[in-house]
Amino acid sequence: QVQVVESGGGLVQAGGSLRLSCTASGLTFDGRLMGWFRQAPGKEREGLACINWSGSRTYYADSVKGRFTISRDNAKNTLYLQMNSLKPEDTAMYYCAARTGPMGFTINPADFGYWGQGTQVTVSS
């Protein structure tokens, strides 16, 4: 049974930092593209960042480039998202997801088949 569990969300003031973690089990973590997404109320799910199996290739959406850093520890089956210089517009539910299907570098939510329940990030002004 595949389980994807996010943690590390919370309430932070604008300009602050948070580090999200995502632990996956029941799947081949170290051979899989992983991604972080977010969804704010009334908005579509947004792909923020993804990282290839080895960590050698990453992608960031323009909205978070230079502020967020994605990383992974394959020995711990864990994905991270370091978020710095947080803004009120970063407020959303944040999700971790594992790529399923053919190999390929993508941030399209439709290409990720395993999702966590999400962790809430709220940034106050």
Side-chain angles (χ1 to χ4, degrees):
Q1 181 180 358
V2 175
Q3 284 193 314
V4 178
V5 181
E6 303 94 339
S7 61
L11 174 64
V12 64
Q13 288 188 333
S17 297
L18 283 174
R19 189 194 197 201
L20 305 184
S21 298
C22 167
T23 301
S25 60
L27 53 76
T28 307
F29 182 85
D30 60 2
R32 197 178 295 271
L33 181 80
M34 298 292 296
W36 284 102
F37 301 79
R38 70 185 178 191
Q39 189 166 17
K43 295 189 176 181
E44 291 188 357
R45 189 162 294 190
E46 177 187 12
L48 301 179
C50 62
I51 186 168
N52 72 340
W53 68 274
S54 67
S56 63
R57 184 180 179 187
T58 58
Y59 163 85
Y60 296 95
D62 287 343
S63 57
V64 304
K65 195 175 297 181
R67 299 188 299 123
F68 291 11
T69 302
I70 189 171
S71 61
R72 64 192 297 162
D73 185 339
N74 288 339
K76 297 181 178 180
N77 279 19
T78 301
L79 181 73
Y80 303 100
L81 187 68
Q82 177 67 43
M83 306 187 296
N84 299 329
S85 303
L86 283 162
K87 306 174 183 180
E89 51 264 43
D90 293 319
T91 295
M93 186 70 79
Y94 282 68
Y95 299 90
C96 166
R99 173 88 160 96
T100 52
M103 297 288 289
F105 198 78
T106 175
I107 196 62
N108 184 345
D111 293 326
F112 291 75
Y114 299 125
W115 292 82
Q117 293 300 306
T119 185
Q120 178 68 36
V121 172
T122 302
V123 184
S124 64
S125 57

